[in-house]
Amino acid sequence: MSAISMLNPKAEVARAGQALAVNIGGAKGIQDVLKTNLGPKGTMKMLVGGAGDIKITKDGNVLLHEMQIQHPTASLIARASTAQDDITGDGTTSTVLLIGEFLKQADLYISEGLHPRIITEGFDKAKEKALEILDSMKISISGDEKANILTNISATSLGTKVHPVLATQLTPLIVDAVQAVQIDNNPIDLHMVELMEMMHRSDMETQLVKGLVLDHGGRHPDMPKRLENCYILTCNVSLEYEKTEVNSGFFYKSAEDREKLVTAERKFIEDRVQKIIELKKKVCTKENGKTFVVINQKGVDPFSLDAFAKEGMMALRRAKRRNMERLALACGGQAMNSVDDLQEDCLGHAGLVYEHVLGENKFTFVEKCANPQSVTILMKGPNKHTLQQTKDAVRDGLRAVKNALEDGCVIPGAGAYEVAT
């Protein structure tokens, strides 16, 4: 014992039966905290941070992340729940309650003198049997029932996280969003569903935009704020003057020489802008009534913006990289890295593009896309807390529906199996 005491004289040493009791006690403790969270009738928990900031949540994963758990076994259970959330996206509270209950049952057998090793082997056998039974009672998601089953899955996941009225409204949005980004038999990429927050009005106004919402707007006062029937050019081309990589100097003798240098500097930018404008003139005529939108990942300088505004075009600069990928999926077309070979088939198409100003923030909506394979869930709410709660719920709902579509089957929950047997 002296050698152990030397490591940390203040440490508590627990052995055998005592250690087991401490571990089971920790599991019961964390189970008691989360027990009241489960299900639609579960209660909210209010967490107060060190700086006094308040968080109200019902999501097991958020709760376990925010709680400061000292007990090592309780901390291990919390990590198991986090892993469950990372892989499947839901069922964190259930995991904690199951582990707590298993340990409670194990405690009864241990007190009767059964060795813990035998109990763990029993758990392994029970797991295999449980998986076998679940496999035998799964229901395949068929064509007729598919919409109804997916709606029920989404409603079940959301009903435990947010107010029932809000859950009812969000349910169809989530099913539509996942089905929109499902491309044939490819794995579903939920990154193609943009979750955009807008602190505005009520959470009941959350909507699904069949297209994209960008969190910035045009930078020129004369640009149109609303365009219909648009061609969309997504590009990653610098339309602003950039300093050279090497330190170089230019020497001139007269004011005329200096003017020539300035003109030459601007010329290669103006040539790029001119090529885009020429494409616009070629594809947008008075007869077809088409309009033109440029969304660029790099910068667009004021002179270039001015040239676009004179042509009645809308131009957005410094779009996020992930939005460039989504734009190509939502509107069609492809992202261009050069203006040398611009053709009509590299353009996307949207029925409506407009700018929405909210206080100091600008949002650009790209809507009415023909076959969007990337969509946006626009979450609204009066404050940060509401938005965060809705976002957590939507995230879980999206992953629940995704799992059902990828597995192609479901199992009735809420004790349906126990009632049936």
Side-chain angles (χ1 to χ4, degrees), residues 301-337:
D301 65 14
F303 293 108
S304 306
L305 285 172
D306 199 45
F308 288 142
K310 281 177 182 165
E311 292 293 331
M313 297 158 66
M314 188 191 282
L316 304 181
R317 63 184 183 188
R318 306 204 190 285
K320 294 188 180 105
R321 179 177 164 72
R322 58 179 190 184
N323 283 339
M324 301 303 280
E325 292 172 30
R326 288 180 182 142
L327 270 165
L329 284 166
C331 310
Q334 59 200 66
M336 303 301 291
N337 290 318

Side-chain angles (χ1 to χ4, degrees), residues 364-382:
T364 304
F365 287 70
V366 181
E367 288 187 25
K368 295 185 184 173
C369 304
N371 182 24
Q373 289 170 346
S374 176
V375 293
T376 303
I377 294 178
L378 181 65
M379 296 171 290
K380 295 187 179 180

Side-chain angles (χ1 to χ4, degrees), residues 27-56:
K28 283 181 186 170
I30 197 165
Q31 183 197 22
D32 288 340
V33 172
L34 290 186
K35 196 193 292 178
T36 51
N37 263 35
L38 195 66
K41 297 262 194 303
T43 52
M44 294 268 186
K45 298 281 183 291
M46 182 189 279
L47 300 166
V48 183
D53 49 329
I54 292 172
K55 192 161 196 176
I56 303 171

Side-chain angles (χ1 to χ4, degrees), residues 193-260:
V193 179
E194 165 82 331
L195 301 180
M196 179 62 71
E197 297 173 13
M198 194 187 268
M199 207 180 288
H200 178 49
R201 304 179 76 163
S202 141
D203 51 0
M204 294 307 294
E205 293 184 29
T206 298
Q207 65 192 86
L208 176 70
V209 177
K210 294 278 181 81
L212 214 60
V213 181
L214 307 171
D215 53 0
H216 55 281
R219 292 284 179 185
H220 195 285
D222 296 340
M223 270 184 184
K225 303 290 181 207
R226 182 186 177 92
L227 291 173
E228 292 183 17
N229 208 1
C230 318
Y231 278 119
I232 293 182
L233 172 64
T234 51
C235 54
N236 183 16
V237 179
S238 179
L239 296 175
E240 62 182 346
Y241 168 66
E242 291 175 350
K243 289 185 178 175
T244 53
E245 296 278 332
V246 291
N247 289 328
S248 56
F250 295 107
F251 300 96
Y252 48 86
K253 292 175 185 148
S254 62
E256 288 80 14
D257 286 359
R258 185 184 178 282
E259 283 300 316
K260 281 180 187 171

Side-chain angles (χ1 to χ4, degrees), residues 120-140:
T120 54
E121 284 174 4
F123 280 148
D124 279 340
K125 283 200 165 61
K127 180 189 78 174
E128 286 165 19
K129 187 67 181 167
L131 288 172
E132 194 183 300
I133 290 169
L134 290 175
D135 213 50
S136 68
M137 59 178 283
K138 67 185 180 188
I139 301 166
S140 294

Side-chain angles (χ1 to χ4, degrees), residues 13-76:
V13 180
R15 283 182 156 200
Q18 192 189 350
L20 229 137
V22 168
N23 286 344
I24 292 173
K28 283 181 186 170
I30 197 165
Q31 183 197 22
D32 288 340
V33 172
L34 290 186
K35 196 193 292 178
T36 51
N37 263 35
L38 195 66
K41 297 262 194 303
T43 52
M44 294 268 186
K45 298 281 183 291
M46 182 189 279
L47 300 166
V48 183
D53 49 329
I54 292 172
K55 192 161 196 176
I56 303 171
T57 183
K58 201 174 170 187
D59 191 333
N61 185 43
V62 175
L63 204 59
L64 291 168
H65 267 290
E66 298 288 334
M67 279 164 59
Q68 292 173 343
I69 301 169
Q70 300 293 331
H71 195 288
T73 309
S75 176
L76 191 67

